[in-house]
Amino acid sequence: MSKVKKEEKPNFPSLPKSQTGITGLDEITGGGLPQGRPTLICGEAGCGKTLMSLEFIVRGATEFNEPGIFMAFEEKAEELAMNVASLGFDLNKLQTDNMVKIDHVHIDRSEIEETGEYDLEGLFIRLGYSIDSIGAKRVVLDTLENLFSGLTDQTILRAELRRLFNFLKSKGVTAIITGEKGEGPSLTRQGLEEYVSDCVILLDHRVINQISTRRLRVIKYRGSQHGTNEYPFLIDEDGISVLPVTSLKLGKDVSSQRVSSGIPALDSMLGGHGFFKGSSILVSGTAGTGKTSIAAYFANETCNGGKRCLYFAFEESPKQIIRNMKSINVDMQKHVDNNLLQFYASRPTLYGLEMHLVAIYKLIKRFKPAAVILDPITNLITVGSVSEVKSMLIRLIDFLQEEQITVMFTALTLNTIISDQTDEGVSSLVDAWLLVRDIEYNGERNRGMYIMKSRGMKHSNQVREFVITDNGLDLVDVYLGPEGVLTGSAREAEKLKEKTGLALRDFAVSRKDKEIMRKRMMLESKINSLKAEFESVEDELNKIYLEEELKQQIIEKNREEITRMRRGTTGADKNKS
């Protein structure tokens, strides 16, 4: 069977694009706005159209060396310069350097007469002169409604609109035209601009439950792929930031490197080495079980290793956390002073969920931490539903995994019933889940900790007593008494009881040993006495035996002497013979 050869696609030229320099927008659009073509940015009042288009001009001049023209039909140059000064944009200097030109065009409806001879020729001449004077590569017209406010004839309007777009294309400039959102499904008031634009971006400003969120969506982009979702964006002191975080792909790299939790006993429960780098950890439990302390220990351990940690606090202020952690022997202030630890504290109601995600994204990109802590995520439910919080956290986890940043969430358990899911519904998403709970026994409350799950590593299945003292956090070894696992004072009482029993046993053993020693000495004394008596008897017996033997020898000698005497021989004769 012959193999089917994969057909290679020819390398066609791609659409040239002009980078906006706006954080996140270039990623969504795949490189920026169509170069040399007009783009329509539309939306309701207050959604950020003017600011986005002005930032496009400023970023072009400062980051890409592309001069730009901002033709305003509403605000004057001084007003625009004042409005964007808080974002760090010095429009006056850019105008002095001939990198930006702000051209305010005043249009009075009463001066516009709708006649067959009305056209935009004057505007083209003025705009063409401005473009040529500084060699502009970028142009913004803000807003189009003012330019056509006096025209009601759709035929004239359509013709002039096409002429305007063709003029901009003929000048080869990358243009942004802002337009107000029309009624109903129409993107603009005239309902024509979106059809003649090569790219259309819709901005939206929603207020739900008194929480406002700005969102952006690329409606249309001729000749290019682009993100089609709604993306939240933030306007702050750095300008506009769009969050292009999605959860569509699961092709992220993973690490086998381990990071310590800061609690040696907990590391031992996790196979001896702690969590995986870049993993997500959830610490959940009822109020007062020490979740924040565990998170602070993890932050402290990260900073002790010379790495950065970003701490998002949604309940306590940084000073509160630093003060409280000192009571358990954790000095977080020194890490703040060394720029290893940074706090970001706010009430969840400050922003909507998406805006929080954008703010977190921006801070992480700026601070570049090795570990991130969110304490607690439960409070986010006050600004969104459970499904919205889950969606937001999924995207945050995906983003952090992409950046290989270890994240620890704390979550308040609102009920004491242990279930396989937290109130935020994120326990299935995280890699490790630590559960801290109260153990009520013998009239007191103690803390117990166990590992609900830890993906990719063997871990302890035991419930350990979690103690917080002036010296810090620790997990006490499991103590099995006669009635099962004991905690707190019951454990200490049982230990003392055991210790007392041991001492009594030692004392009893000691007494027995002495008694045995005494008995041994007595027996040995008796044995020695008997031995001496035996030797005495033995000597006596030996004495009788020797005397008898000597007596026998003398008798024998005497008998021989008598025998010789009877024979007439003496002892001297005997010697002669």
Side-chain angles (χ1 to χ4, degrees), residues 213-232:
T213 305
R214 290 185 172 89
R215 295 170 189 265
L216 173 150
R217 185 159 72 99
V218 180
I219 303 285
K220 161 185 175 184
Y221 200 137
R222 286 175 180 159
S224 173
Q225 293 183 339
H226 58 87
T228 54
N229 294 335
E230 277 194 330
Y231 302 94

Side-chain angles (χ1 to χ4, degrees), residues 303-405:
C303 295
N304 282 338
K307 295 175 181 174
R308 289 182 168 184
C309 179
L310 195 53
Y311 198 117
F312 294 93
F314 298 120
E315 202 166 63
E316 297 176 274
S317 70
K319 289 183 178 177
Q320 272 182 298
I321 295 172
I322 291 172
R323 181 200 63 189
N324 296 344
M325 291 308 110
K326 271 187 179 176
S327 66
I328 58 170
N329 200 27
V330 176
D331 184 6
M332 304 185 82
Q333 184 61 48
K334 66 177 182 183
H335 300 313
V336 175
D337 296 339
N338 293 330
N339 198 32
L340 290 173
L341 177 63
Q342 191 175 94
F343 282 96
Y344 174 80
S346 68
R347 289 288 180 193
T349 47
L350 177 65
Y351 297 133
L353 280 175
E354 299 298 339
M355 296 294 279
H356 274 298
L357 187 57
V358 175
I360 292 170
Y361 176 86
K362 278 192 66 178
L363 283 168
I364 290 171
K365 280 289 186 184
R366 185 187 304 162
F367 192 62
K368 301 188 183 308
V372 169
I373 292 169
L374 270 74
D375 176 38
I377 56 173
T378 315
N379 287 21
L380 295 173
I381 291 181
T382 57
V383 291
S385 65
V386 172
S387 62
E388 288 172 338
V389 171
K390 186 176 180 180
S391 170
M392 175 257 195
L393 292 176
I394 287 173
R395 287 191 285 157
L396 178 60
I397 290 172
D398 284 349
F399 164 63
L400 293 171
Q401 285 181 344
E402 192 81 37
E403 300 287 324
Q404 285 290 294
I405 296 172

Side-chain angles (χ1 to χ4, degrees), residues 133-144:
S133 64
I134 62 170
K137 302 291 184 186
R138 303 183 178 207
V139 167
V140 168
L141 300 179
D142 181 52
T143 63
L144 208 57

Side-chain angles (χ1 to χ4, degrees), residues 421-552:
Q421 190 62 276
T422 59
D423 299 309
E424 300 78 21
V426 296
S427 57
S428 59
L429 306 173
V430 296
D431 298 309
W433 181 13
L434 311 180
L435 189 61
V436 192
R437 66 186 179 96
D438 292 326
I439 301 173
E440 290 189 13
Y441 179 75
N442 199 23
E444 66 180 22
R445 196 186 73 168
N446 295 292
R447 303 176 182 89
M449 176 192 282
Y450 57 96
I451 300 171
M452 287 286 282
K453 75 176 208 182
S454 185
R455 289 173 178 159
M457 66 177 77
K458 63 177 182 181
H459 55 86
S460 171
N461 59 354
Q462 293 182 331
V463 179
R464 304 287 291 274
E465 186 179 352
F466 176 50
V467 291
I468 302 177
T469 64
D470 293 344
N471 297 322
L473 309 183
D474 198 5
L475 295 174
V476 180
D477 289 337
V478 174
Y479 189 88
L480 282 173
E483 300 175 357
V485 177
L486 298 177
T487 60
S489 59
R491 171 174 50 77
E492 294 299 328
E494 191 63 26
K495 277 186 175 179
L496 283 174
K497 192 175 172 183
E498 261 194 12
K499 197 172 179 181
T500 305
L502 194 64
L504 289 173
R505 192 176 67 230
D506 289 345
F507 179 69
V509 168
S510 177
R511 284 191 62 190
K512 286 283 183 188
D513 286 345
K514 287 179 181 176
E515 187 67 25
I516 290 170
M517 184 66 71
R518 276 198 298 273
K519 283 192 174 182
R520 176 181 293 168
M521 290 175 68
M522 288 172 64
L523 286 172
E524 285 178 354
S525 177
K526 282 184 179 179
I527 290 170
N528 289 332
S529 175
L530 288 171
K531 195 174 178 182
E533 188 178 350
F534 172 76
E535 287 176 350
S536 176
V537 172
E538 188 181 30
D539 285 345
E540 188 65 28
L541 289 173
N542 286 336
K543 180 183 174 186
I544 294 171
Y545 176 74
L546 290 172
E547 285 179 354
E548 189 66 27
E549 188 177 357
L550 182 62
K551 186 178 177 183
Q552 194 66 29

Side-chain angles (χ1 to χ4, degrees), residues 154-208:
Q154 290 293 312
T155 307
I156 297 174
L157 186 62
R158 186 181 290 268
E160 290 303 300
L161 201 58
R162 287 191 182 282
R163 276 218 312 146
L164 174 62
F165 278 65
N166 288 333
F167 168 77
L168 292 170
K169 284 184 179 179
S170 68
K171 299 299 288 185
V173 293
T174 306
I176 286 181
I177 295 155
T178 64
E180 296 176 0
K181 191 177 184 311
E183 296 179 356
S186 178
L187 296 177
T188 56
R189 287 191 179 180
Q190 312 299 339
L192 299 172
E193 297 92 322
E194 56 263 40
Y195 294 104
V196 294
S197 300
D198 289 87
C199 177
V200 177
I201 297 174
L202 175 65
L203 305 185
D204 186 25
H205 190 189
R206 299 176 199 169
V207 179
I208 301 173

Side-chain angles (χ1 to χ4, degrees), residues 50 88 172 252 361:
T50 300
K252 304 170 188 67
Y361 176 86

Side-chain angles (χ1 to χ4, degrees), residues 230-262:
E230 277 194 330
Y231 302 94
F233 69 93
L234 177 70
I235 299 175
D236 61 7
E237 66 277 6
D238 297 324
I240 289 177
S241 301
V242 188
L243 183 62
V245 175
T246 61
S247 296
L248 299 178
K249 297 179 181 176
L250 290 173
K252 304 170 188 67
D253 292 332
V254 294
S255 172
S256 298
Q257 190 179 340
R258 306 285 279 271
V259 292
S260 172
S261 65

